[in-house]
Amino acid sequence: MAAIDSLVATALLRSLEPAILALDRMLDEGTPAEDLGGDPDGYDGIDRTGDLEHLLASEWLMVGEEPDEFVRRYSQRELSFLKRAQTSRKRARTTLVLFDSGPDQLGAPRLVHLACLVALARRAAEAGSELHWGTLQNDARYVLRTPEDLRRLVESRTAVGPPTHPPVDALLDDCLVVSPTEFGVVRQLLLRGASDSVEAVLVDRRRASRRRGVIPLPPPAASIRLLRDPTGLISGPAHRSPATMAPTSNLVFDHAGNKVLARAGTGGAVVMFPAPNSVNLPDQRARLVGGLSTFGPAAAAGRISRALITATFVDGGTAVVVNRVGGARGQRIPEGRIRLSEPVPSTVAGDPLGTVRKMGETLQIRVADRLLVHGDGVMRVGPDEEGRRWGSPPFEVVLSAAGSGQMVRSGTEQWFVRGVEGTRVLAAVRSPDHGGIQLLQIEDDRQIVAVGTTGADRSVIGRSETAIVDATVHHQKPVLAYRTVDGRVKVLSWRTGQLLFSWEPDPFGADLAGGR
């Protein structure tokens, strides 16, 4: 395995393989060229031709015993000679690749850049040489040894177009230039981007040839992750805030999957943790929103157009108070005290936190296996028919009768996933990288795993140093969040295992990460 294979996240590298193979065929280099004119290196077998000094000793016996037969065999090439061995040195035909990192190469062409770098690095490793790379907009040249070296390629994009004349080293025979602008160099890969593939033309002036091909792109989700961080190794910074921000309830995602909400402190306060798509996004902090209600802790919480919405049961569960903090006032959201069509048991601090969302013009509150829908000034109460469903179309998870696994249903389809004793099921998901149904589970209270329908297809997504007391998965976005027994909160991608955000309480009350 080439060193670069260990730098790219396994799942992402698998999704990039079709592009790498297509480039392999286009480059048409095959196995790196061998130099057969090496130094002598002993003998390697028997040959029918050669110098007489390398004739086998057994053949010389025939000269005295049967000279005529010796002459006949020599003329007919039937004698045996020692075959002389020579050292062979493999060399790569491409030892430098220069990419155009200008605005014309954003998006799909950048994925081809990454695939090209992997393909050429593999060839160089096979040849025992080292591949250098750089950009046309920068004089610096790099090698691939660490994840940071690979990440540098993704981050090298610039608003500056390619130079009028290529750099001097671009004119070398062993250099490949990757750009949509033709420079007249010895070898160049011209790229034209599209939505699901890239048209490529390999120009080789040594052979006076132009070779065309189509480079397939990875699925959209994998493409986004490759462009953000192909290594999959970036970990979110550990933010620390006063212990008063520690969650006192279960965690829930907002409808868009951008925030993780929980009760915290007193007086109906809610803490919001970010669930970013990338750890590279700036100013990712936990935020405590207090003074939401004087009626007690929130029964449900959510975000609508960046406004925090909470719901608290009052009057013995016959009414609900909807509070709103922040956000654009253009959204019509019912606020204040709203009568319920039937009583709901009043929430207490230990009850699970429910969710609030807006579907069209309707406000919906899910709490305690009930669905509350607002309309005509009344909040109608009914059973929550969705149950444990995730994804689009949704999956429903039900325990099997034997208790040895889980039955996953979606419409008329159903799958049985053999479970492991002592696990807690979080969600059923359809992973594009996996190509099938998987259950996200917590094993031994400390690690989150994905288990496929065969049971043998099992991968660890994340491990916790302390016991996990609560976890939640967004219904569509591939993120999950969990809370540990010591109050830590982690948000990570269940597809890649990448840690996106980490928070822990500061026992001394200092806000070291700017949490507020």
Side-chain angles (χ1 to χ4, degrees), residues 170 224 321 351 407 429 460:
I224 293 173
V321 175
D351 288 344
M407 188 68 71
V429 296
V460 178

Side-chain angles (χ1 to χ4, degrees), residues 5-14 150 226 229-233 496:
D5 289 10
S6 63
L7 300 182
V8 185
T10 303
L12 300 182
L13 182 62
R14 191 184 309 122
L150 181 62
L226 282 165
D229 177 29
T231 67
L233 297 177
T496 65

Side-chain angles (χ1 to χ4, degrees), residues 224-246:
I224 293 173
R225 297 198 303 276
L226 282 165
L227 292 176
R228 285 177 175 164
D229 177 29
T231 67
L233 297 177
I234 295 181
S235 295
H239 292 251
R240 301 181 71 186
S241 302
T244 54
M245 297 178 64

Side-chain angles (χ1 to χ4, degrees), residues 249-250 252 261-263 267-270 292-293 295-302 309-314 317 319-323 340 344-356 364-370 372:
S249 72
N250 58 302
V252 296
L261 311 176
R263 298 191 197 99
V270 171
L292 295 174
S293 174
F295 300 100
I309 310 297
T310 63
T312 305
F313 293 123
V314 295
V320 64
V321 175
V322 177
N323 295 282
L340 300 180
V344 172
S346 299
T347 184
V348 295
D351 288 344
L353 180 67
T355 60
V356 179
Q364 296 184 357
I365 301 174
R366 279 190 164 81
V367 62
D369 297 326
R370 290 172 174 82
L372 284 63

Side-chain angles (χ1 to χ4, degrees), residues 460-502:
V460 178
I461 296 175
R463 294 183 178 91
S464 173
E465 296 178 358
T466 55
I468 298 173
V469 296
D470 178 62
T472 183
V473 179
H474 190 257
H475 64 284
Q476 288 185 326
K477 192 175 175 181
V479 290
L480 63 87
Y482 67 82
R483 176 173 61 97
T484 62
V485 68
D486 55 356
R488 303 177 187 225
V489 175
K490 309 283 186 181
V491 181
L492 64 152
S493 166
W494 55 255
R495 285 184 181 170
T496 65
Q498 182 182 14
L499 182 63
L500 301 174
F501 180 80
S502 175

